Amino acid sequence: MIWQIARREIVTRGQTKAFQVLTAVLLVGVIVAAVSISLVTGSSDEASEFTIGLSGDGTEFADQLSVETDEVAPTVVETSDGETLLETGDIDVLFTGDELVWEGFPIADLDLYIRTSVQQAEFAERVDDLGLGNAELAALFGEVQIEERLLDGEDDEQFVRFGAATVSTIAMFMLLTVWGGFLMMGVVEEKSSRVVEVLLSHVEARTLLTGKILGLGVLALMQLLIIVAGMAAGLLAVRDIEVPSGVWSSVPILLVTFLLGYAFYASAFAALGSTVSRQEDAQAAQLPAMIPLAIGYGIGISSVQSPDTLLVKIASYVPFTSPVVLPFRVALTNPPAWQVALSLFLLAASVPLMLNLAGRIYRSTLLNVGARVPLLQAFRNRNATL
């Protein structure tokens, strides 16, 4: 009977235009996001081509500004009407010897290239004036070699981790709120249309609740898998980027956390939906479930630069916030396995407790049509039989 109810929810909700549009938007959105991450972090072997206009004293630096580097491939043009060439786009910057003139915002790489080249030319001239030889110059200004090593991987890998953690946080928050809201609206619709009275004449309230949670959970899991697949496809579309192993290993934890988090929050949304009979009251009724989700989302998004703080660790253990915070923390910091296991254990242990409490509230308020049943009263009446 539970599967029959779940199948009814899958067919009914899966055929709606809202579900189909949302699924398509999710797929396109995560692919675009992943490709964007790849393009930002992927390195290019070709230097950027720029045209530098020189006028006045700037023409004295033509030789220095013609040298190609790994980042810049310059073309030098001497002109007497540089500002006109800037406005027409024929040159990227005008250098007059003591001033750089840009059409709009400065181009960072080109700006640094010109300043460094001019500084080197001036420096060489001063060295000649002081009569310093090459040996003395090399000893004085020899580069100090300092290597850099990141425990969490290279910069590009860190950027991918940031992207994966952010997408995980947004996806978990969105899917839990959207599908929790769908479940809540379904409960309210059945109450307002009196359909629930017909259903309860054939099945128990607990069976009905379990079937609804299971049915919508299948659709929600489908969308999460689409997000994961789209993210993977986008990252692999650009071959010059390496996805850290920690990102791949966080996918199973993301799926397990979502299943547990969905069961936890879907139960809460269904119970809250049973306390109202009108769609207008549903938004206010869902606040007790939305607030902790929003807190977890806020902690995750605001902790991208400091993902291993005490607040993030605590939030990854608390069942009300761990469905959103734990995937974020795992993708970004690779916490010890025992901490992940503890978070999942606490969340798993809280699921049957929430299911039991929500089932009792759902059963005691489902046939109350009319005014909204206060949550405290619904909690007190949770032992009522139906």
Side-chain angles (χ1 to χ4, degrees), residues 53-75:
L54 302 179
S55 65
D57 295 337
T59 56
E60 300 175 6
F61 298 93
D63 293 338
Q64 290 82 3
L65 295 177
S66 300
V67 179
E68 182 174 344
T69 67
D70 293 338
E71 293 79 22
V72 177
T75 298

Side-chain angles (χ1 to χ4, degrees), residues 46-98:
E46 297 182 358
S48 300
E49 296 183 355
F50 298 106
T51 302
I52 304 173
L54 302 179
S55 65
D57 295 337
T59 56
E60 300 175 6
F61 298 93
D63 293 338
Q64 290 82 3
L65 295 177
S66 300
V67 179
E68 182 174 344
T69 67
D70 293 338
E71 293 79 22
V72 177
T75 298
V76 173
V77 175
E78 296 187 13
T79 175
S80 59
D81 193 11
E83 294 189 7
T84 300
L85 295 181
L86 269 178
E87 294 175 352
T88 58
D90 293 321
I91 61 175
D92 296 294
V93 63
L94 173 64
F95 180 52
T96 63
D98 56 4

Side-chain angles (χ1 to χ4, degrees), residues 55-263:
S55 65
D57 295 337
T59 56
E60 300 175 6
F61 298 93
D63 293 338
Q64 290 82 3
L65 295 177
S66 300
V67 179
E68 182 174 344
T69 67
D70 293 338
E71 293 79 22
V72 177
T75 298
V76 173
V77 175
E78 296 187 13
T79 175
S80 59
D81 193 11
E83 294 189 7
T84 300
L85 295 181
L86 269 178
E87 294 175 352
T88 58
D90 293 321
I91 61 175
D92 296 294
V93 63
L94 173 64
F95 180 52
T96 63
D98 56 4
E99 184 181 40
L100 286 173
V101 184
W102 304 88
E103 167 67 16
F105 288 106
I107 302 173
D109 289 343
L110 182 56
D111 183 90
L112 178 62
Y113 168 79
I114 295 175
R115 293 179 185 276
T116 302
S117 299
V118 172
Q119 184 176 5
Q120 290 175 347
E122 291 289 345
F123 179 73
E125 184 178 343
R126 293 172 187 175
V127 167
D128 290 338
D129 293 341
L130 293 174
L132 296 178
N134 292 333
E136 293 86 352
L137 186 62
L140 184 59
F141 293 102
E143 182 179 359
V144 178
Q145 297 292 337
I146 301 178
E147 296 184 357
E148 185 176 67
R149 183 169 63 93
L150 303 178
L151 292 179
D152 291 331
E154 301 299 326
D155 290 343
D156 289 352
E157 293 183 4
Q158 281 297 97
F159 196 91
V160 174
R161 285 181 175 274
F162 290 151
T166 302
V167 170
S168 298
T169 303
I170 295 175
M172 290 292 285
F173 175 74
M174 182 183 67
L175 290 178
L176 291 178
T177 54
V178 167
W179 285 101
F182 281 159
L183 182 58
M184 184 177 185
M185 291 301 176
V187 172
V188 177
E189 289 173 0
E190 290 177 352
K191 283 190 65 174
S192 60
S193 63
R194 302 298 183 112
V195 171
V196 68
E197 298 177 9
V198 178
L199 295 174
L200 290 178
S201 64
H202 296 82
V203 297
E204 296 182 355
R206 187 181 298 275
T207 303
L208 178 61
L209 174 61
T210 304
K212 293 177 72 67
I213 292 176
L214 178 60
L216 294 186
V218 170
L219 296 177
L221 179 61
M222 183 187 305
Q223 288 192 340
L224 179 61
L225 291 175
I226 288 175
I227 292 176
V228 173
M231 192 73 181
L235 289 175
L236 295 176
V238 181
R239 296 183 180 179
D240 60 352
I241 184 172
E242 180 179 353
V243 180
S245 59
V247 173
W248 294 122
S249 62
S250 67
V251 173
I253 297 175
L254 172 68
L255 297 178
V256 173
T257 305
F258 173 75
L259 291 175
L260 295 175
Y262 170 79

